[in-house]
Amino acid sequence: MPIIEYNIVFFFLFRCMQDDDDQKMQIMRKAFQMFDTTKSGFIETLKISTILNTMGQLFDDAELQNLIDETDPEASGKVNFDGFCRIAAHFLEEEDSEAMQEELKEAFRLYDREGNGYITTQTLREILAALDDKLGPEDLDGIIAEIDTDGSGTVDFDEFMEMMTGE
């Protein structure tokens, strides 16, 4: 399989990994429990940055503090698991979204060999057929029609991004 096909397969796998909310929830629960040493169901808000660092998440201190203030309006200095999840999910989603967009830009550039800012629907048809050999001509026509809504015969990055992310 050529390197370009590997890249597209990687993006589909990346997208599937992002949808694994159960796995994310388990990671957040374990991280929360590590810092809930008294098993009270609460952690100190001061520990949230440490937890995010432990999870390998990048964050802006001011943005984190704003989220903590929203989640702990009484300034008790503690949040429960749900509050922690709201804060942590903000950074998880942001990183996933940014990483996916960068990866998709790279994949798009690989297919936009001339640098025109688009790929042809014929190229997209070949990519999709290589990814799923069960797709017949009618299936491919339907997918292409859904993506190339203006009928231009080309797919720009925004259309490509929408196809890959469903957004």
Side-chain angles (χ1 to χ4, degrees), residues 8-39:
I8 291 297
V9 170
F10 167 76
F11 299 122
F12 278 108
L13 291 174
F14 180 77
R15 187 172 167 197
C16 290
M17 287 187 321
Q18 285 191 306
D19 293 336
D20 195 357
D21 289 335
D22 289 339
Q23 184 180 12
K24 282 183 188 175
M25 190 61 75
Q26 288 175 348
I27 291 169
M28 286 194 289
R29 186 168 301 283
K30 284 180 183 177
F32 183 86
Q33 288 171 345
M34 279 185 351
F35 287 85
D36 180 15
T37 55
T38 62
K39 307 299 179 219

mmCIF file of all heavy atoms in Angstrom, residues 8-39:
data_model
loop_
_atom_site.group_PDB
_atom_site.id
_atom_site.type_symbol
_atom_site.label_atom_id
_atom_site.label_comp_id
_atom_site.label_asym_id
_atom_site.label_seq_id
_atom_site.Cartn_x
_atom_site.Cartn_y
_atom_site.Cartn_z
ATOM 1 N N ILE A 8 -4.097 8.188 4.888
ATOM 2 C CA ILE A 8 -5.555 8.298 4.991
ATOM 3 C C ILE A 8 -6.086 7.261 5.973
ATOM 4 O O ILE A 8 -6.955 7.557 6.788
ATOM 5 C CB ILE A 8 -6.221 8.143 3.605
ATOM 6 C CG1 ILE A 8 -5.885 9.349 2.731
ATOM 7 C CG2 ILE A 8 -7.721 7.985 3.744
ATOM 8 C CD1 ILE A 8 -6.400 10.677 3.246
ATOM 9 N N VAL A 9 -5.550 6.042 5.939
ATOM 10 C CA VAL A 9 -5.968 5.021 6.896
ATOM 11 C C VAL A 9 -5.680 5.506 8.312
ATOM 12 O O VAL A 9 -6.506 5.370 9.216
ATOM 13 C CB VAL A 9 -5.268 3.674 6.613
ATOM 14 C CG1 VAL A 9 -5.504 2.700 7.746
ATOM 15 C CG2 VAL A 9 -5.764 3.094 5.301
ATOM 16 N N PHE A 10 -4.512 6.126 8.510
ATOM 17 C CA PHE A 10 -4.162 6.670 9.821
ATOM 18 C C PHE A 10 -5.205 7.677 10.285
ATOM 19 O O PHE A 10 -5.621 7.678 11.435
ATOM 20 C CB PHE A 10 -2.787 7.339 9.762
ATOM 21 C CG PHE A 10 -2.491 8.180 10.957
ATOM 22 C CD1 PHE A 10 -2.134 7.616 12.164
ATOM 23 C CD2 PHE A 10 -2.613 9.551 10.892
ATOM 24 C CE1 PHE A 10 -1.884 8.393 13.269
ATOM 25 C CE2 PHE A 10 -2.370 10.340 11.990
ATOM 26 C CZ PHE A 10 -2.001 9.767 13.182
ATOM 27 N N PHE A 11 -5.683 8.528 9.377
ATOM 28 C CA PHE A 11 -6.647 9.546 9.767
ATOM 29 C C PHE A 11 -7.974 8.927 10.177
ATOM 30 O O PHE A 11 -8.607 9.378 11.114
ATOM 31 C CB PHE A 11 -6.856 10.568 8.649
ATOM 32 C CG PHE A 11 -5.595 11.286 8.322
ATOM 33 C CD1 PHE A 11 -5.077 11.259 7.059
ATOM 34 C CD2 PHE A 11 -4.887 11.946 9.308
ATOM 35 C CE1 PHE A 11 -3.885 11.897 6.768
ATOM 36 C CE2 PHE A 11 -3.698 12.583 9.026
ATOM 37 C CZ PHE A 11 -3.202 12.558 7.760
ATOM 38 N N PHE A 12 -8.388 7.866 9.476
ATOM 39 C CA PHE A 12 -9.620 7.189 9.883
ATOM 40 C C PHE A 12 -9.440 6.550 11.255
ATOM 41 O O PHE A 12 -10.326 6.615 12.095
ATOM 42 C CB PHE A 12 -10.049 6.145 8.846
ATOM 43 C CG PHE A 12 -10.791 6.743 7.689
ATOM 44 C CD1 PHE A 12 -10.195 6.841 6.456
ATOM 45 C CD2 PHE A 12 -12.082 7.221 7.842
ATOM 46 C CE1 PHE A 12 -10.866 7.402 5.386
ATOM 47 C CE2 PHE A 12 -12.761 7.781 6.781
ATOM 48 C CZ PHE A 12 -12.158 7.880 5.544
ATOM 49 N N LEU A 13 -8.285 5.939 11.501
ATOM 50 C CA LEU A 13 -8.021 5.350 12.814
ATOM 51 C C LEU A 13 -7.970 6.435 13.880
ATOM 52 O O LEU A 13 -8.500 6.282 14.971
ATOM 53 C CB LEU A 13 -6.709 4.565 12.800
ATOM 54 C CG LEU A 13 -6.721 3.284 11.978
ATOM 55 C CD1 LEU A 13 -5.316 2.691 11.924
ATOM 56 C CD2 LEU A 13 -7.695 2.279 12.536
ATOM 57 N N PHE A 14 -7.323 7.557 13.568
ATOM 58 C CA PHE A 14 -7.232 8.685 14.491
ATOM 59 C C PHE A 14 -8.627 9.159 14.862
ATOM 60 O O PHE A 14 -8.942 9.405 16.012
ATOM 61 C CB PHE A 14 -6.423 9.803 13.816
ATOM 62 C CG PHE A 14 -6.240 11.028 14.662
ATOM 63 C CD1 PHE A 14 -5.316 11.032 15.684
ATOM 64 C CD2 PHE A 14 -6.979 12.173 14.416
ATOM 65 C CE1 PHE A 14 -5.129 12.171 16.456
ATOM 66 C CE2 PHE A 14 -6.793 13.300 15.183
ATOM 67 C CZ PHE A 14 -5.867 13.300 16.204
ATOM 68 N N ARG A 15 -9.492 9.235 13.855
ATOM 69 C CA ARG A 15 -10.871 9.682 14.095
ATOM 70 C C ARG A 15 -11.607 8.699 14.992
ATOM 71 O O ARG A 15 -12.332 9.091 15.894
ATOM 72 C CB ARG A 15 -11.581 9.825 12.761
ATOM 73 C CG ARG A 15 -12.929 10.438 12.873
ATOM 74 C CD ARG A 15 -13.469 10.717 11.516
ATOM 75 N NE ARG A 15 -14.878 11.011 11.632
ATOM 76 C CZ ARG A 15 -15.711 10.992 10.635
ATOM 77 N NH1 ARG A 15 -15.283 10.705 9.442
ATOM 78 N NH2 ARG A 15 -16.958 11.267 10.809
ATOM 79 N N CYS A 16 -11.394 7.406 14.765
ATOM 80 C CA CYS A 16 -12.039 6.392 15.603
ATOM 81 C C CYS A 16 -11.540 6.486 17.039
ATOM 82 O O CYS A 16 -12.304 6.331 17.974
ATOM 83 C CB CYS A 16 -11.778 4.994 15.059
ATOM 84 S SG CYS A 16 -12.643 4.670 13.522
ATOM 85 N N MET A 17 -10.238 6.724 17.208
ATOM 86 C CA MET A 17 -9.686 6.832 18.551
ATOM 87 C C MET A 17 -10.308 8.016 19.274
ATOM 88 O O MET A 17 -10.547 7.960 20.468
ATOM 89 C CB MET A 17 -8.167 6.989 18.512
ATOM 90 C CG MET A 17 -7.460 5.719 18.140
ATOM 91 S SD MET A 17 -5.670 5.784 18.279
ATOM 92 C CE MET A 17 -5.226 7.383 17.699
ATOM 93 N N GLN A 18 -10.572 9.084 18.550
ATOM 94 C CA GLN A 18 -11.162 10.252 19.191
ATOM 95 C C GLN A 18 -12.569 9.952 19.690
ATOM 96 O O GLN A 18 -13.010 10.530 20.661
ATOM 97 C CB GLN A 18 -11.244 11.406 18.199
ATOM 98 C CG GLN A 18 -9.920 12.034 17.950
ATOM 99 C CD GLN A 18 -10.107 13.301 17.184
ATOM 100 O OE1 GLN A 18 -10.714 13.309 16.142
ATOM 101 N NE2 GLN A 18 -9.587 14.375 17.709
ATOM 102 N N ASP A 19 -13.259 9.071 19.016
ATOM 103 C CA ASP A 19 -14.627 8.749 19.401
ATOM 104 C C ASP A 19 -14.697 7.832 20.607
ATOM 105 O O ASP A 19 -15.768 7.533 21.098
ATOM 106 C CB ASP A 19 -15.365 8.111 18.213
ATOM 107 C CG ASP A 19 -15.557 9.098 17.073
ATOM 108 O OD1 ASP A 19 -15.563 10.314 17.354
ATOM 109 O OD2 ASP A 19 -15.678 8.659 15.927
ATOM 110 N N ASP A 20 -13.572 7.376 21.091
ATOM 111 C CA ASP A 20 -13.569 6.427 22.189
ATOM 112 C C ASP A 20 -13.707 7.164 23.515
ATOM 113 O O ASP A 20 -12.774 7.253 24.308
ATOM 114 C CB ASP A 20 -12.289 5.591 22.147
ATOM 115 C CG ASP A 20 -12.376 4.364 23.029
ATOM 116 O OD1 ASP A 20 -13.386 4.177 23.724
ATOM 117 O OD2 ASP A 20 -11.409 3.598 23.039
ATOM 118 N N ASP A 21 -14.911 7.684 23.755
ATOM 119 C CA ASP A 21 -15.175 8.462 24.962
ATOM 120 C C ASP A 21 -15.026 7.626 26.229
ATOM 121 O O ASP A 21 -14.639 8.140 27.269
ATOM 122 C CB ASP A 21 -16.565 9.090 24.905
ATOM 123 C CG ASP A 21 -16.645 10.210 23.880
ATOM 124 O OD1 ASP A 21 -15.593 10.804 23.571
ATOM 125 O OD2 ASP A 21 -17.748 10.486 23.388
ATOM 126 N N ASP A 22 -15.369 6.346 26.147
ATOM 127 C CA ASP A 22 -15.233 5.478 27.324
ATOM 128 C C ASP A 22 -13.789 5.415 27.793
ATOM 129 O O ASP A 22 -13.509 5.476 28.989
ATOM 130 C CB ASP A 22 -15.740 4.060 27.026
ATOM 131 C CG ASP A 22 -17.248 4.000 26.877
ATOM 132 O OD1 ASP A 22 -17.927 4.927 27.377
ATOM 133 O OD2 ASP A 22 -17.741 3.037 26.268
ATOM 134 N N GLN A 23 -12.873 5.308 26.841
ATOM 135 C CA GLN A 23 -11.452 5.241 27.201
ATOM 136 C C GLN A 23 -11.003 6.557 27.840
ATOM 137 O O GLN A 23 -10.291 6.548 28.839
ATOM 138 C CB GLN A 23 -10.603 4.930 25.972
ATOM 139 C CG GLN A 23 -9.130 4.749 26.291
ATOM 140 C CD GLN A 23 -8.303 4.430 25.063
ATOM 141 O OE1 GLN A 23 -8.761 4.557 23.937
ATOM 142 N NE2 GLN A 23 -7.078 4.027 25.284
ATOM 143 N N LYS A 24 -11.434 7.671 27.282
ATOM 144 C CA LYS A 24 -11.091 8.971 27.864
ATOM 145 C C LYS A 24 -11.643 9.089 29.278
ATOM 146 O O LYS A 24 -10.974 9.577 30.178
ATOM 147 C CB LYS A 24 -11.641 10.115 27.008
ATOM 148 C CG LYS A 24 -10.850 10.397 25.782
ATOM 149 C CD LYS A 24 -11.450 11.575 25.063
ATOM 150 C CE LYS A 24 -10.807 11.790 23.728
ATOM 151 N NZ LYS A 24 -11.432 12.851 22.962
ATOM 152 N N MET A 25 -12.879 8.624 29.454
ATOM 153 C CA MET A 25 -13.516 8.709 30.762
ATOM 154 C C MET A 25 -12.751 7.856 31.779
ATOM 155 O O MET A 25 -12.559 8.270 32.924
ATOM 156 C CB MET A 25 -14.979 8.255 30.672
ATOM 157 C CG MET A 25 -15.768 8.535 31.925
ATOM 158 S SD MET A 25 -15.860 10.293 32.346
ATOM 159 C CE MET A 25 -17.020 10.881 31.160
ATOM 160 N N GLN A 26 -12.314 6.683 31.365
ATOM 161 C CA GLN A 26 -11.545 5.820 32.267
ATOM 162 C C GLN A 26 -10.228 6.480 32.668
ATOM 163 O O GLN A 26 -9.833 6.427 33.833
ATOM 164 C CB GLN A 26 -11.259 4.463 31.616
ATOM 165 C CG GLN A 26 -12.470 3.581 31.510
ATOM 166 C CD GLN A 26 -12.175 2.290 30.752
ATOM 167 O OE1 GLN A 26 -11.137 2.148 30.116
ATOM 168 N NE2 GLN A 26 -13.114 1.358 30.815
ATOM 169 N N ILE A 27 -9.566 7.109 31.723
ATOM 170 C CA ILE A 27 -8.300 7.798 32.017
ATOM 171 C C ILE A 27 -8.553 8.935 32.997
ATOM 172 O O ILE A 27 -7.819 9.101 33.972
ATOM 173 C CB ILE A 27 -7.646 8.313 30.717
ATOM 174 C CG1 ILE A 27 -7.151 7.128 29.888
ATOM 175 C CG2 ILE A 27 -6.502 9.278 31.026
ATOM 176 C CD1 ILE A 27 -6.728 7.494 28.477
ATOM 177 N N MET A 28 -9.608 9.713 32.754
ATOM 178 C CA MET A 28 -9.906 10.826 33.654
ATOM 179 C C MET A 28 -10.290 10.321 35.044
ATOM 180 O O MET A 28 -9.890 10.893 36.043
ATOM 181 C CB MET A 28 -11.009 11.714 33.064
ATOM 182 C CG MET A 28 -10.510 12.560 31.909
ATOM 183 S SD MET A 28 -11.623 13.896 31.418
ATOM 184 C CE MET A 28 -12.958 13.000 30.660
ATOM 185 N N ARG A 29 -11.058 9.226 35.094
ATOM 186 C CA ARG A 29 -11.453 8.681 36.389
ATOM 187 C C ARG A 29 -10.223 8.214 37.174
ATOM 188 O O ARG A 29 -10.092 8.491 38.364
ATOM 189 C CB ARG A 29 -12.451 7.530 36.226
ATOM 190 C CG ARG A 29 -12.986 7.033 37.572
ATOM 191 C CD ARG A 29 -14.164 6.110 37.446
ATOM 192 N NE ARG A 29 -15.321 6.665 36.763
ATOM 193 C CZ ARG A 29 -16.188 7.526 37.302
ATOM 194 N NH1 ARG A 29 -16.015 7.955 38.525
ATOM 195 N NH2 ARG A 29 -17.219 7.956 36.622
ATOM 196 N N LYS A 30 -9.320 7.520 36.503
ATOM 197 C CA LYS A 30 -8.105 7.048 37.188
ATOM 198 C C LYS A 30 -7.268 8.221 37.681
ATOM 199 O O LYS A 30 -6.755 8.198 38.797
ATOM 200 C CB LYS A 30 -7.277 6.156 36.262
ATOM 201 C CG LYS A 30 -7.864 4.784 36.100
ATOM 202 C CD LYS A 30 -7.020 3.931 35.182
ATOM 203 C CE LYS A 30 -7.686 2.577 34.983
ATOM 204 N NZ LYS A 30 -6.966 1.734 34.047
ATOM 205 N N ALA A 31 -7.134 9.236 36.840
ATOM 206 C CA ALA A 31 -6.358 10.410 37.239
ATOM 207 C C ALA A 31 -7.011 11.093 38.436
ATOM 208 O O ALA A 31 -6.334 11.468 39.398
ATOM 209 C CB ALA A 31 -6.244 11.387 36.068
ATOM 210 N N PHE A 32 -8.335 11.234 38.394
ATOM 211 C CA PHE A 32 -9.061 11.856 39.498
ATOM 212 C C PHE A 32 -8.868 11.048 40.781
ATOM 213 O O PHE A 32 -8.564 11.603 41.843
ATOM 214 C CB PHE A 32 -10.559 11.954 39.153
ATOM 215 C CG PHE A 32 -11.385 12.635 40.198
ATOM 216 C CD1 PHE A 32 -11.525 14.010 40.209
ATOM 217 C CD2 PHE A 32 -12.028 11.905 41.191
ATOM 218 C CE1 PHE A 32 -12.294 14.651 41.167
ATOM 219 C CE2 PHE A 32 -12.795 12.527 42.163
ATOM 220 C CZ PHE A 32 -12.934 13.906 42.149
ATOM 221 N N GLN A 33 -9.026 9.747 40.691
ATOM 222 C CA GLN A 33 -8.918 8.887 41.874
ATOM 223 C C GLN A 33 -7.520 8.916 42.487
ATOM 224 O O GLN A 33 -7.381 8.818 43.708
ATOM 225 C CB GLN A 33 -9.317 7.447 41.522
ATOM 226 C CG GLN A 33 -10.797 7.312 41.288
ATOM 227 C CD GLN A 33 -11.202 5.957 40.729
ATOM 228 O OE1 GLN A 33 -10.379 5.191 40.247
ATOM 229 N NE2 GLN A 33 -12.497 5.677 40.787
ATOM 230 N N MET A 34 -6.501 9.062 41.646
ATOM 231 C CA MET A 34 -5.135 9.152 42.181
ATOM 232 C C MET A 34 -4.980 10.356 43.106
ATOM 233 O O MET A 34 -4.220 10.309 44.067
ATOM 234 C CB MET A 34 -4.109 9.280 41.042
ATOM 235 C CG MET A 34 -3.751 7.975 40.391
ATOM 236 S SD MET A 34 -2.427 8.066 39.142
ATOM 237 C CE MET A 34 -2.087 9.759 38.853
ATOM 238 N N PHE A 35 -5.708 11.433 42.810
ATOM 239 C CA PHE A 35 -5.564 12.657 43.593
ATOM 240 C C PHE A 35 -6.663 12.833 44.641
ATOM 241 O O PHE A 35 -6.596 13.749 45.448
ATOM 242 C CB PHE A 35 -5.503 13.865 42.654
ATOM 243 C CG PHE A 35 -4.192 13.948 41.929
ATOM 244 C CD1 PHE A 35 -3.980 13.243 40.759
ATOM 245 C CD2 PHE A 35 -3.149 14.702 42.442
ATOM 246 C CE1 PHE A 35 -2.761 13.302 40.100
ATOM 247 C CE2 PHE A 35 -1.933 14.761 41.794
ATOM 248 C CZ PHE A 35 -1.733 14.057 40.614
ATOM 249 N N ASP A 36 -7.661 11.966 44.610
ATOM 250 C CA ASP A 36 -8.703 11.973 45.644
ATOM 251 C C ASP A 36 -8.261 10.994 46.729
ATOM 252 O O ASP A 36 -8.851 9.942 46.940
ATOM 253 C CB ASP A 36 -10.050 11.557 45.049
ATOM 254 C CG ASP A 36 -11.174 11.554 46.079
ATOM 255 O OD1 ASP A 36 -10.991 12.125 47.172
ATOM 256 O OD2 ASP A 36 -12.225 10.969 45.766
ATOM 257 N N THR A 37 -7.213 11.361 47.443
ATOM 258 C CA THR A 37 -6.583 10.450 48.406
ATOM 259 C C THR A 37 -7.476 10.118 49.588
ATOM 260 O O THR A 37 -7.353 9.051 50.169
ATOM 261 C CB THR A 37 -5.256 11.036 48.921
ATOM 262 O OG1 THR A 37 -5.510 12.332 49.441
ATOM 263 C CG2 THR A 37 -4.235 11.118 47.790
ATOM 264 N N THR A 38 -8.418 11.014 49.906
ATOM 265 C CA THR A 38 -9.314 10.749 51.041
ATOM 266 C C THR A 38 -10.585 10.018 50.593
ATOM 267 O O THR A 38 -11.431 9.714 51.423
ATOM 268 C CB THR A 38 -9.710 12.061 51.743
ATOM 269 O OG1 THR A 38 -10.428 12.878 50.807
ATOM 270 C CG2 THR A 38 -8.499 12.803 52.266
ATOM 271 N N LYS A 39 -10.715 9.784 49.289
ATOM 272 C CA LYS A 39 -11.898 9.113 48.713
ATOM 273 C C LYS A 39 -13.190 9.843 49.065
ATOM 274 O O LYS A 39 -14.238 9.239 49.277
ATOM 275 C CB LYS A 39 -11.974 7.638 49.149
ATOM 276 C CG LYS A 39 -10.719 6.842 48.882
ATOM 277 C CD LYS A 39 -10.394 6.800 47.416
ATOM 278 C CE LYS A 39 -9.120 6.012 47.156
ATOM 279 N NZ LYS A 39 -8.288 6.570 46.133
#
